[in-house]
Amino acid sequence: MAAAVARVESLAGMPTIPTEYVRTEEERLSLGDAFEEAKKAAEGPQIPVVDLEGEGCVEEVMRAATEWGVMHIVNHGIDGRLIERLRVAGKTFFDLPIEEKEKYANDQSSGKIQGYGSKLANNTSGQLEWEDYFFHLVFPEQKVDLSIWPKDPTDYVEVTKEFAKAIRGVATNMFRILSLGLGLDPDRIELEIGGMEDLLLQMKINYYPKCPQPELALGVEAHTDVSSLTFILHNMVPGLQVCHDDKWVAAKCVPESLIVHIGDTLEILSNGRFKSVLHRGLVNKDKVRISWAVFCEPPKDKIVLRPLRELVTEAAPAKFPPRTFAQHIQHKVFKKPIPAEQEGV
């Protein structure tokens, strides 16, 4: 088991938060309780809601992907009863005593990233995020390691497997819509990033405890996702904010919807047509927030990511040098340069 790490859940009853969770002065200028920020944002611009069974679905998805990089999708095809079972299973796991959850602890220092964990400081100021999480690969099934999945609740494996298959179908549908919107063959994007065999779905259940000083903390600091698409569902507690026109916009809680983020991978493939959305997570004093994020990632070394050739012209030259997904992560997280020889691949 990994060495003991302070879990954020254990800090939730304190009157003040430890200094390592206090964000920078610049960040704090725009922070606040998630419920209050959601109320303030109710009258401003809103993340688009797209009906996947609607008549102008392709155009609406394209508008959201290019102007926002994020959307709520409804009529996505996943049974609401399955989503509710998934919510119950995740909440039941996080309701277990911390010592029970520690049986599934990950160990980031040794490269074991799957399992129960908390964010380790990876920035110069040593700041931490107000969340605990459970992270695991959920699809393709033959690549999944069930030995690290929770045994309690007893239906966790069954429900999560069923949800993973369902969300994989939604991913295929979204890739088809985005391909068509770019004037490409419907299966163009999905095949470029691994297809049914190699595209990986990683699920991260984010658990944001109540926070005594939400105006000082962040559940997740501002970032873009490295994935192609990220799907998010939550327990109807606000917290997500996205950056639009240089302002933070709070995501509404839209019933029966999934939130979809465009990630870096699709920004690269689309040669910048699609926008990888900058986003962050606020916290609040009154309610625990739980979200389920599913990251659709290409294989780390098998595929070279580059702008699709159909989208590169003399008038629109390639904006991104080729790189593997692993190299992109190294470049983004550790500021390592993209190898020059990669550009000729």
Side-chain angles (χ1 to χ4, degrees), residues 12-77:
M14 300 172 67
T16 59
I17 65 174
T19 54
E20 59 266 32
Y21 292 92
V22 176
R23 307 308 301 187
T24 64
E25 189 174 352
E26 183 182 0
E27 285 176 300
R28 295 200 305 269
L29 292 173
S30 62
L31 296 184
D33 185 285
F35 282 103
E36 293 171 14
E37 295 302 314
K39 280 181 197 166
K40 285 185 206 169
E43 301 305 314
Q46 302 295 326
I47 295 170
V49 179
V50 178
D51 182 349
L52 293 191
E53 293 181 356
E55 200 171 310
C57 159
V58 173
E59 292 77 13
E60 286 187 37
V61 167
M62 285 298 290
R63 192 175 305 117
T66 54
E67 295 177 10
W68 282 79
V70 62
M71 65 200 85
H72 299 274
I73 57 170
V74 295
N75 286 321
H76 41 71

Coordinates of all heavy atoms in Angstrom, one line a residue, residues 12-77:
A12 N -12.5 18.1 6.2 CA -13.7 18.9 5.9 C -14.4 19.4 7.1 O -15.1 20.4 7.0 CB -14.7 18.0 5.2
G13 N -14.1 18.9 8.3 CA -14.8 19.4 9.5 C -14.0 20.5 10.2 O -14.4 21.0 11.2
M14 N -12.8 20.9 9.7 CA -12.0 21.9 10.3 C -12.6 23.3 10.1 O -13.3 23.5 9.1 CB -10.6 21.9 9.7 CG -9.9 20.5 10.0 SD -8.3 20.4 9.1 CE -7.3 21.7 9.9
P15 N -12.4 24.2 11.0 CA -13.0 25.6 10.8 C -12.3 26.4 9.7 O -12.9 27.2 9.0 CB -12.8 26.3 12.1 CG -11.6 25.5 12.8 CD -11.7 24.1 12.3
T16 N -11.0 26.1 9.4 CA -10.2 26.7 8.4 C -9.5 25.7 7.6 O -9.2 24.6 8.1 CB -9.2 27.8 8.9 OG1 -8.3 27.1 9.8 CG2 -9.9 28.9 9.7
I17 N -9.1 26.0 6.4 CA -8.4 25.0 5.5 C -6.9 25.2 5.7 O -6.4 26.3 6.0 CB -8.7 25.1 4.0 CG1 -8.3 26.5 3.5 CG2 -10.2 24.9 3.9 CD1 -8.5 26.6 2.0
P18 N -6.1 24.1 5.7 CA -4.6 24.2 5.8 C -4.1 25.1 4.7 O -4.6 25.2 3.6 CB -4.2 22.8 5.6 CG -5.4 21.9 6.0 CD -6.6 22.7 5.5
T19 N -3.0 25.8 4.9 CA -2.4 26.7 4.0 C -2.1 26.1 2.7 O -2.1 26.9 1.6 CB -1.1 27.4 4.6 OG1 -0.2 26.3 5.0 CG2 -1.5 28.2 5.8
E20 N -1.7 24.8 2.6 CA -1.3 24.3 1.3 C -2.5 24.2 0.3 O -2.3 23.9 -0.9 CB -0.7 22.9 1.5 CG -1.5 21.9 2.2 CD -1.2 21.8 3.7 OE1 -0.9 22.8 4.3 OE2 -1.3 20.7 4.2
Y21 N -3.8 24.4 0.8 CA -4.9 24.4 0.0 C -5.4 25.8 -0.4 O -6.3 25.9 -1.2 CB -6.1 23.7 0.7 CG -5.9 22.2 0.8 CD1 -5.3 21.7 2.0 CD2 -6.2 21.3 -0.2 CE1 -5.0 20.3 2.1 CE2 -5.9 19.9 0.0 CZ -5.4 19.5 1.1 OH -5.1 18.1 1.3
V22 N -4.7 26.8 0.1 CA -5.1 28.2 -0.2 C -4.5 28.6 -1.5 O -3.2 28.4 -1.7 CB -4.6 29.1 0.9 CG1 -4.9 30.6 0.5 CG2 -5.3 28.8 2.2
R23 N -5.3 29.0 -2.5 CA -4.8 29.3 -3.8 C -4.1 30.7 -3.8 O -4.1 31.4 -2.9 CB -6.0 29.4 -4.8 CG -6.9 28.2 -4.8 CD -6.1 26.9 -5.0 NE -5.4 26.8 -6.3 CZ -4.8 25.7 -6.7 NH1 -4.8 24.6 -6.0 NH2 -4.1 25.8 -7.9
T24 N -3.5 31.0 -5.0 CA -2.7 32.2 -5.1 C -3.7 33.4 -5.0 O -4.9 33.3 -5.2 CB -2.0 32.3 -6.4 OG1 -3.0 32.3 -7.5 CG2 -1.1 31.1 -6.6
E25 N -3.1 34.6 -4.7 CA -3.9 35.8 -4.6 C -4.6 36.1 -5.9 O -5.8 36.5 -5.9 CB -2.9 37.0 -4.2 CG -3.7 38.2 -3.9 CD -2.7 39.3 -3.4 OE1 -1.6 39.1 -3.2 OE2 -3.2 40.5 -3.2
E26 N -3.9 35.9 -7.0 CA -4.6 36.1 -8.3 C -5.8 35.2 -8.5 O -6.9 35.7 -9.0 CB -3.6 35.9 -9.4 CG -4.1 36.3 -10.8 CD -3.1 36.0 -11.9 OE1 -2.0 35.5 -11.6 OE2 -3.5 36.2 -13.1
E27 N -5.6 33.9 -8.2 CA -6.8 33.0 -8.4 C -7.9 33.4 -7.4 O -9.1 33.3 -7.8 CB -6.3 31.6 -8.0 CG -5.5 30.9 -9.1 CD -5.0 29.5 -8.6 OE1 -4.3 29.5 -7.6 OE2 -5.3 28.6 -9.3
R28 N -7.6 33.8 -6.2 CA -8.7 34.1 -5.2 C -9.6 35.2 -5.6 O -10.7 35.3 -5.1 CB -8.0 34.3 -3.8 CG -7.3 33.2 -3.3 CD -7.1 33.3 -1.7 NE -6.5 34.5 -1.3 CZ -5.2 34.6 -1.1 NH1 -4.4 33.6 -1.4 NH2 -4.7 35.7 -0.7
L29 N -9.1 36.1 -6.5 CA -9.9 37.2 -7.0 C -11.2 36.8 -7.6 O -12.2 37.5 -7.6 CB -9.1 38.1 -8.0 CG -7.9 38.9 -7.4 CD1 -7.1 39.6 -8.5 CD2 -8.4 39.9 -6.3
S30 N -11.2 35.5 -8.2 CA -12.4 35.1 -9.0 C -13.0 33.8 -8.3 O -13.8 33.2 -8.9 CB -12.0 34.7 -10.4 OG -11.0 33.7 -10.5
L31 N -12.6 33.5 -7.1 CA -13.2 32.3 -6.4 C -14.3 32.7 -5.5 O -14.5 33.8 -5.1 CB -12.1 31.6 -5.6 CG -10.9 31.1 -6.3 CD1 -10.0 30.3 -5.3 CD2 -11.3 30.1 -7.4
G32 N -15.2 31.7 -5.2 CA -16.3 31.9 -4.3 C -17.0 30.6 -4.1 O -16.6 29.6 -4.8
D33 N -18.0 30.5 -3.3 CA -18.8 29.3 -3.1 C -19.5 29.0 -4.4 O -20.1 29.8 -5.1 CB -19.8 29.6 -2.0 CG -20.6 28.4 -1.6 OD1 -21.5 28.0 -2.4 OD2 -20.4 27.8 -0.5
A34 N -19.5 27.7 -4.7 CA -20.0 27.2 -6.0 C -21.5 27.6 -6.2 O -21.9 27.9 -7.3 CB -19.8 25.7 -6.2
F35 N -22.3 27.5 -5.1 CA -23.7 27.8 -5.2 C -23.9 29.3 -5.5 O -24.7 29.6 -6.3 CB -24.4 27.4 -3.9 CG -24.7 25.9 -3.8 CD1 -23.9 25.1 -3.0 CD2 -25.7 25.3 -4.6 CE1 -24.2 23.7 -2.9 CE2 -26.0 24.0 -4.5 CZ -25.2 23.2 -3.6
E36 N -23.1 30.1 -4.8 CA -23.3 31.6 -5.0 C -22.8 32.0 -6.4 O -23.4 32.8 -7.1 CB -22.5 32.3 -4.0 CG -23.0 32.2 -2.6 CD -22.1 32.7 -1.5 OE1 -21.1 33.5 -1.9 OE2 -22.3 32.4 -0.3
E37 N -21.7 31.4 -6.9 CA -21.2 31.7 -8.3 C -22.2 31.2 -9.3 O -22.3 31.9 -10.4 CB -19.8 31.0 -8.5 CG -18.7 31.6 -7.6 CD -18.5 33.1 -7.7 OE1 -18.5 33.6 -8.9 OE2 -18.5 33.8 -6.7
A38 N -22.8 30.1 -9.1 CA -23.8 29.6 -10.1 C -25.0 30.5 -10.2 O -25.5 30.8 -11.2 CB -24.3 28.2 -9.7
K39 N -25.4 31.1 -9.0 CA -26.5 32.0 -9.0 C -26.2 33.3 -9.8 O -26.9 33.8 -10.6 CB -26.9 32.4 -7.6 CG -27.8 31.4 -6.8 CD -28.1 31.9 -5.4 CE -28.6 30.8 -4.6 NZ -28.6 31.1 -3.1
K40 N -24.9 33.8 -9.5 CA -24.5 35.0 -10.2 C -24.4 34.8 -11.7 O -24.7 35.7 -12.5 CB -23.0 35.4 -9.8 CG -22.9 36.0 -8.4 CD -21.5 36.4 -8.2 CE -21.1 36.4 -6.7 NZ -19.7 36.5 -6.5
A41 N -24.1 33.6 -12.2 CA -23.9 33.3 -13.6 C -25.2 33.1 -14.3 O -25.2 32.9 -15.6 CB -22.9 32.2 -13.8
A42 N -26.3 33.0 -13.6 CA -27.5 32.5 -14.2 C -28.0 33.4 -15.3 O -28.7 33.0 -16.3 CB -28.6 32.4 -13.2
E43 N -27.6 34.7 -15.3 CA -28.1 35.7 -16.3 C -27.2 35.9 -17.5 O -27.5 36.5 -18.5 CB -28.4 37.0 -15.6 CG -29.4 37.0 -14.5 CD -30.7 36.4 -15.0 OE1 -31.2 36.8 -16.0 OE2 -31.3 35.5 -14.2
G44 N -25.9 35.3 -17.3 CA -24.9 35.6 -18.3 C -24.9 34.5 -19.4 O -25.9 33.8 -19.6
P45 N -23.8 34.5 -20.2 CA -23.8 33.4 -21.3 C -23.8 32.0 -20.7 O -23.3 31.8 -19.6 CB -22.4 33.7 -22.0 CG -21.8 34.9 -21.3 CD -22.7 35.3 -20.1
Q46 N -24.4 31.1 -21.4 CA -24.6 29.8 -20.9 C -23.9 28.7 -21.8 O -24.0 28.9 -23.1 CB -26.0 29.4 -20.7 CG -26.8 30.3 -19.8 CD -26.3 30.3 -18.4 OE1 -25.9 29.2 -17.9 NE2 -26.4 31.4 -17.7
I47 N -23.3 27.7 -21.2 CA -22.8 26.6 -22.0 C -23.9 26.0 -22.9 O -25.0 25.8 -22.4 CB -22.2 25.5 -21.1 CG1 -21.0 26.0 -20.3 CG2 -21.9 24.2 -21.9 CD1 -20.5 25.1 -19.2
P48 N -23.7 25.8 -24.2 CA -24.8 25.3 -25.1 C -25.3 24.0 -24.6 O -24.6 23.1 -24.2 CB -24.1 25.2 -26.5 CG -22.9 26.1 -26.4 CD -22.5 26.1 -24.9
V49 N -26.6 23.8 -24.8 CA -27.3 22.5 -24.6 C -27.6 22.0 -26.0 O -28.3 22.6 -26.8 CB -28.5 22.6 -23.7 CG1 -29.2 21.3 -23.6 CG2 -28.2 23.2 -22.4
V50 N -27.2 20.8 -26.3 CA -27.4 20.2 -27.7 C -28.2 18.9 -27.5 O -27.8 18.0 -26.8 CB -26.0 19.9 -28.4 CG1 -26.3 19.3 -29.7 CG2 -25.2 21.2 -28.5
D51 N -29.3 18.9 -28.3 CA -30.1 17.7 -28.4 C -29.6 16.8 -29.5 O -29.6 17.1 -30.7 CB -31.5 18.1 -28.7 CG -32.5 16.9 -28.7 OD1 -32.0 15.7 -28.7 OD2 -33.7 17.1 -28.8
L52 N -29.0 15.6 -29.1 CA -28.4 14.7 -30.2 C -29.4 14.1 -31.1 O -29.0 13.5 -32.1 CB -27.5 13.6 -29.5 CG -26.3 14.1 -28.7 CD1 -25.4 12.9 -28.4 CD2 -25.5 15.1 -29.6
E53 N -30.7 14.2 -30.8 CA -31.7 13.8 -31.7 C -32.4 14.9 -32.4 O -33.4 14.7 -33.1 CB -32.8 12.9 -30.9 CG -32.2 11.6 -30.3 CD -33.3 10.8 -29.6 OE1 -34.5 11.3 -29.5 OE2 -33.0 9.7 -29.2
G54 N -31.9 16.1 -32.2 CA -32.5 17.3 -32.8 C -32.1 17.4 -34.3 O -31.1 16.9 -34.8
E55 N -32.9 18.3 -35.0 CA -32.7 18.4 -36.4 C -31.4 19.0 -36.8 O -30.7 18.5 -37.7 CB -33.9 19.2 -37.0 CG -34.1 19.1 -38.5 CD -35.3 19.8 -38.9 OE1 -36.4 19.5 -38.3 OE2 -35.2 20.5 -39.9
G56 N -30.9 20.0 -36.1 CA -29.7 20.7 -36.5 C -28.5 20.3 -35.6 O -27.6 21.1 -35.3
C57 N -28.5 19.0 -35.2 CA -27.6 18.5 -34.3 C -26.1 18.7 -34.7 O -25.3 19.2 -33.9 CB -27.9 17.0 -34.1 SG -26.6 16.0 -33.4
V58 N -25.8 18.4 -35.9 CA -24.4 18.5 -36.4 C -23.9 20.0 -36.3 O -22.8 20.3 -35.8 CB -24.2 18.0 -37.8 CG1 -22.7 18.3 -38.3 CG2 -24.5 16.5 -37.9
E59 N -24.8 20.9 -36.8 CA -24.4 22.3 -36.7 C -24.3 22.8 -35.3 O -23.3 23.6 -35.0 CB -25.5 23.1 -37.4 CG -25.5 22.9 -38.9 CD -26.2 21.6 -39.3 OE1 -26.9 21.0 -38.5 OE2 -26.1 21.2 -40.5
E60 N -25.1 22.3 -34.4 CA -25.1 22.8 -33.0 C -23.9 22.3 -32.3 O -23.2 23.0 -31.5 CB -26.4 22.4 -32.3 CG -27.6 23.2 -32.6 CD -28.8 22.8 -31.8 OE1 -28.6 22.6 -30.6 OE2 -29.9 22.8 -32.3
V61 N -23.5 21.0 -32.5 CA -22.3 20.4 -31.9 C -21.1 21.2 -32.4 O -20.2 21.5 -31.7 CB -22.2 18.9 -32.3 CG1 -20.8 18.4 -31.9 CG2 -23.2 18.1 -31.5
M62 N -21.0 21.5 -33.7 CA -19.9 22.2 -34.3 C -19.8 23.6 -33.7 O -18.7 24.0 -33.4 CB -20.0 22.3 -35.8 CG -19.7 21.0 -36.6 SD -18.0 20.4 -36.3 CE -17.2 21.6 -37.3
R63 N -20.9 24.2 -33.6 CA -20.9 25.6 -33.0 C -20.3 25.5 -31.5 O -19.4 26.3 -31.2 CB -22.3 26.2 -33.0 CG -22.3 27.7 -32.7 CD -23.6 28.3 -32.8 NE -24.2 28.1 -34.1 CZ -25.3 27.4 -34.4 NH1 -26.0 26.8 -33.4 NH2 -25.8 27.2 -35.6
A64 N -20.8 24.6 -30.8 CA -20.3 24.4 -29.4 C -18.8 24.1 -29.3 O -18.1 24.6 -28.5 CB -21.1 23.4 -28.6
A65 N -18.4 23.2 -30.2 CA -17.0 22.7 -30.2 C -16.0 23.8 -30.6 O -14.9 23.8 -30.2 CB -16.9 21.5 -31.1
T66 N -16.5 24.6 -31.6 CA -15.6 25.7 -32.1 C -15.6 26.9 -31.2 O -14.6 27.6 -31.0 CB -15.9 26.0 -33.5 OG1 -17.3 26.4 -33.6 CG2 -15.6 24.8 -34.4
E67 N -16.8 27.3 -30.7 CA -16.9 28.5 -29.9 C -16.7 28.4 -28.4 O -16.2 29.3 -27.8 CB -18.3 29.2 -30.2 CG -18.5 29.6 -31.6 CD -19.9 30.1 -31.9 OE1 -20.6 30.4 -30.9 OE2 -20.2 30.3 -33.1
W68 N -17.0 27.2 -27.9 CA -16.9 27.0 -26.4 C -16.0 25.9 -26.1 O -15.3 26.0 -25.0 CB -18.3 26.6 -25.9 CG -19.3 27.8 -25.7 CD1 -20.0 28.4 -26.7 CD2 -19.6 28.4 -24.5 NE1 -20.8 29.4 -26.2 CE2 -20.5 29.4 -24.8 CE3 -19.2 28.3 -23.2 CZ2 -21.1 30.3 -23.9 CZ3 -19.7 29.1 -22.2 CH2 -20.7 30.1 -22.6
G69 N -15.9 24.8 -26.8 CA -15.1 23.6 -26.5 C -15.8 22.8 -25.4 O -15.2 21.9 -24.8
V70 N -17.1 23.1 -25.2 CA -17.8 22.3 -24.1 C -19.3 22.4 -24.5 O -19.8 23.4 -25.1 CB -17.5 22.9 -22.7 CG1 -18.0 24.3 -22.6 CG2 -18.2 22.0 -21.6
M71 N -20.1 21.4 -24.1 CA -21.5 21.4 -24.3 C -22.2 20.5 -23.3 O -21.6 19.5 -22.8 CB -21.9 21.1 -25.7 CG -21.5 19.7 -26.1 SD -21.4 19.4 -27.9 CE -19.6 19.9 -28.2
H72 N -23.5 20.7 -23.0 CA -24.3 19.7 -22.4 C -25.0 18.9 -23.6 O -25.5 19.6 -24.5 CB -25.4 20.4 -21.6 CG -25.0 21.2 -20.5 ND1 -24.7 20.7 -19.2 CD2 -24.8 22.6 -20.4 CE1 -24.3 21.7 -18.4 NE2 -24.4 22.8 -19.1
I73 N -25.0 17.6 -23.5 CA -25.8 16.9 -24.5 C -26.9 16.1 -23.8 O -26.8 15.6 -22.7 CB -24.9 15.9 -25.3 CG1 -24.2 14.9 -24.3 CG2 -23.9 16.6 -26.2 CD1 -23.5 13.7 -25.1
V74 N -28.1 16.2 -24.5 CA -29.3 15.5 -24.0 C -29.7 14.5 -25.1 O -29.3 14.6 -26.3 CB -30.4 16.5 -23.6 CG1 -30.0 17.3 -22.4 CG2 -30.8 17.4 -24.8
N75 N -30.6 13.6 -24.8 CA -31.0 12.5 -25.7 C -29.7 11.8 -26.2 O -29.6 11.5 -27.4 CB -31.8 13.0 -26.8 CG -33.2 13.3 -26.4 OD1 -33.8 12.6 -25.6 ND2 -33.8 14.4 -26.9
H76 N -28.8 11.5 -25.3 CA -27.5 10.9 -25.6 C -27.6 9.4 -25.7 O -26.7 8.7 -26.2 CB -26.5 11.3 -24.6 CG -27.0 11.2 -23.2 ND1 -27.3 10.1 -22.5 CD2 -27.3 12.2 -22.3 CE1 -27.8 10.3 -21.3 NE2 -27.8 11.7 -21.1
G77 N -28.7 8.8 -25.2 CA -28.9 7.4 -25.4 C -28.6 6.5 -24.2 O -28.8 5.3 -24.3

